[in-house]
Amino acid sequence: MSYETILTETPAPGVGLIRLNRPQALNALNSQMSGEIFTAMQAFDSDPGVKCIVLTGSDKAFAAGADIKEMEATDAVTMMTGHDFTDWARMTRIRKPIIGAVSGWALGGGCEMAMMCDMLVASETAKFGQPEITIGIMPGAGGTQRLTRAVGKALAMEVMLANRHLTAQEALHYGLVNRVYPVESYLSETIKLAEKIATMPGVAIQLIKDAVNRAYELSLSEGLTYEKRNFYLLFGTEDKAEGMKAFVDKRKAEWKDR
């Protein structure tokens, strides 16, 4: 499938790459781009040759926010009944892990989309922020919830109320990102991480992602029950049989992803 605002490729075995491509707008997220991102994610999610997805922008900007020109004339009723932010739930339904590779600005909707990824790798120039208050609104695609869970209430309040930007090193310190690399290598290192994940058994990859994400929504006792359900399900897979036999035989497992 061809796209107008993103580029897609498979840069390594088992890895699908989505690159935001509106350089003239610092990858500002308009409805067309967000729709194409989620469509491409769903295509990779359905592709048996892809086991991990990487989402990135440019070295200068992951995404500088939502497209304000598109939102300026929108009223409250339109936002409630038909705005594309409601479509962002499509990203939460992707079963395969998504790694965000962030360099430069990740602001507003760009920061929110980055935080929807399962892991984040940042370049040393990455800056995270939720500046919506400066135009009279607030985060509307998860910023108040995901950032607070990631960095805590006090810092999240400062980011959103005082327009503070988090540097890559601050994001690493507070657990918002996994790793920080120089601009020259952050994307290649992200692809290496995705490629390593792609060497693991596919069903286990998806059920682990599912269980970890449930930890944010369930109580501990409910989460433990959910984890056991996924754990038991894996005992019905060919990969469980192969993995355990390969361990006993002291050889490398050959995964079937089923």
Side-chain angles (χ1 to χ4, degrees):
M1 182 174 179
S2 61
Y3 303 100
E4 294 181 3
T5 64
I6 64 172
L7 302 171
T8 62
E9 61 177 298
T10 51
V15 179
L17 175 66
I18 301 170
R19 187 189 301 270
L20 282 58
N21 189 39
R22 292 186 72 212
Q24 73 283 359
L26 293 178
N27 292 330
L29 296 160
N30 61 13
S31 56
Q32 180 183 9
M33 175 181 269
S34 59
E36 289 186 353
I37 291 167
F38 304 140
T39 297
M41 284 184 178
Q42 289 175 321
F44 280 140
D45 205 34
S46 300
D47 185 344
V50 171
K51 295 166 76 171
C52 190
I53 301 167
V54 172
L55 177 66
T56 194
S58 67
D59 292 348
K60 187 175 182 180
F62 175 76
D67 193 323
I68 305 304
K69 292 180 180 178
E70 185 178 67
M71 296 174 64
E72 184 180 10
T74 305
D75 59 29
V77 173
T78 302
M79 293 294 285
M80 291 179 65
T81 59
H83 192 270
D84 288 315
F85 272 1
T86 60
D87 199 37
W88 285 37
R90 292 169 65 188
M91 187 167 169
T92 67
R93 294 193 289 268
I94 300 299
R95 297 164 298 171
K96 297 171 183 177
I98 304 166
I99 308 176
V102 178
S103 185
W105 298 109
L107 301 178
C111 185
E112 290 172 305
M113 182 169 286
M115 291 190 294
M116 291 177 74
C117 296
D118 300 299
M119 289 169 276
L120 286 176
V121 174
S123 84
E124 293 172 336
T125 67
K127 293 282 185 68
F128 300 86
Q130 299 287 166
E132 287 88 348
I133 196 168
T134 65
I135 56 170
I137 58 171
M138 63 177 282
T144 63
Q145 304 303 302
R146 291 190 174 93
L147 187 63
T148 303
R149 284 167 168 77
V151 306
K153 174 185 173 181
L155 184 55
M157 285 285 193
E158 185 177 356
V159 168
M160 287 179 268
L161 296 179
N163 192 25
R164 173 175 170 178
H165 296 154
L166 298 179
T167 67
Q169 288 299 330
E170 287 175 323
L172 180 65
H173 173 76
Y174 288 106
L176 184 62
V177 306
N178 295 71
R179 305 176 186 181
V180 176
Y181 293 104
V183 175
E184 296 77 18
S185 61
Y186 79 99
L187 181 56
S188 62
E189 292 293 343
T190 306
I191 292 170
K192 287 179 186 177
L193 176 59
E195 190 174 8
K196 182 175 183 179
I197 292 170
T199 66
M200 305 298 177
V203 181
I205 289 173
Q206 294 182 30
L207 290 185
I208 289 170
K209 167 177 171 167
D210 177 48
V212 171
N213 282 334
R214 288 286 179 154
Y216 285 93
E217 302 169 3
L218 303 175
S219 68
L220 178 59
S221 61
E222 291 170 328
L224 291 171
T225 299
Y226 196 89
E227 177 189 77
K228 285 187 177 64
R229 187 208 72 153
N230 285 10
F231 176 68
Y232 296 151
L233 284 173
L234 288 171
F235 275 72
T237 64
E238 292 182 27
D239 283 342
K240 171 265 177 186
E242 165 62 11
M244 293 193 176
K245 189 173 190 308
F247 180 85
V248 172
D249 294 345
K250 294 182 171 56
R251 61 174 174 82
K252 185 177 180 179
E254 298 180 7
W255 307 120
K256 304 298 183 183
D257 296 328
R258 59 179 182 266

